[in-house]
Amino acid sequence: LAGAVAPLSAEPLKIAMIDMKQALTQFHETVAADAEERVERADIQEDNFERIAAIKAMEEEMRNLRGQFQDTTMSPEKKKAIAQAFGEREQTLVALEREREEFIQRKSRGLNQKMVTKLQRIREIVGKQVQDHAAAINVDYVFDSSGLTTAQVPFVLYVRNKVDITEDVLKLLNKDAPAPAPAAVPEAAPAE
């Protein structure tokens, strides 16, 4: 019986911690993806503003036609032509509003899908780097210190002799990061 029982003096487990939220947000590819998303969202918004301007211009034309139609001195033929023009503008306005809504939905959906795909790939890269680093330093388990339960309580409350590998993993992830762009230097004011 004594030979069948495993010895209780086995080597203790080596546990490491990582703040995955920090690792994911400070990874240079995440920073670049966030910047790209902001630019693309700004482009969508700019296109949206152009569409809104066209809609407002059409609404202004319709107000002018409505004002002309209310002129009591106008001939019936002229009123009929104005009413027809108003109807055409009204149909165009409906089409413009529908097209704007479809544009926003289509572009937002496409950008969201693109970002989901990018962020999934980034999570895979970070996860692989964590695994590789943990294996290299001979860690048995790695826990995410940023993880919270639904009650907003950290999953890991205490670990004795923990090793925090967040900074090490971030250094490995960002070793190939492009150099930051030089800050714009303001032009010197001309001497008076």
Side-chain angles (χ1 to χ4, degrees), residues 55-182:
I55 288 169
K56 288 185 180 204
M58 186 62 61
E59 289 171 340
E60 182 62 31
E61 279 186 50
M62 291 172 66
R63 274 192 292 278
N64 290 339
L65 288 171
R66 190 177 294 124
Q68 290 175 20
F69 187 80
Q70 293 173 351
D71 183 0
T72 55
T73 62
M74 190 175 295
S75 70
E77 296 82 32
K78 183 73 172 161
K79 280 194 174 210
K80 184 178 178 182
I82 290 174
Q84 183 178 353
F86 185 87
E88 291 169 0
R89 304 284 190 298
E90 192 170 37
Q91 289 176 355
T92 302
L93 179 64
V94 169
L96 286 173
E97 288 172 339
R98 185 179 320 118
E99 191 277 333
R100 185 188 77 80
E101 288 173 19
E102 289 171 358
F103 167 81
I104 293 294
Q105 290 173 358
R106 183 179 66 252
K107 287 294 201 172
S108 294
R109 195 171 36 248
L111 181 56
N112 289 343
Q113 184 58 44
K114 177 180 171 182
M115 293 310 298
V116 164
T117 302
K118 276 188 178 198
L119 293 176
Q120 179 61 35
R121 187 179 81 49
I122 287 169
R123 279 192 290 277
E124 290 170 3
I125 292 170
V126 172
K128 175 87 170 85
Q129 187 65 65
V130 169
Q131 291 172 3
D132 291 350
H133 185 65
I137 62 172
N138 203 24
V139 169
D140 297 303
Y141 294 98
V142 177
F143 292 101
D144 178 6
S145 62
S146 66
L148 299 175
T149 66
T150 55
Q152 301 303 306
V153 176
F155 280 111
V156 180
L157 298 174
Y158 172 77
V159 175
R160 184 172 52 100
N161 299 327
K162 74 174 181 173
V163 175
D164 190 334
I165 61 172
T166 305
E167 291 301 320
D168 295 337
V169 169
L170 273 169
K171 285 178 188 169
L172 292 167
L173 285 168
N174 290 324
K175 72 179 187 286
D176 297 327

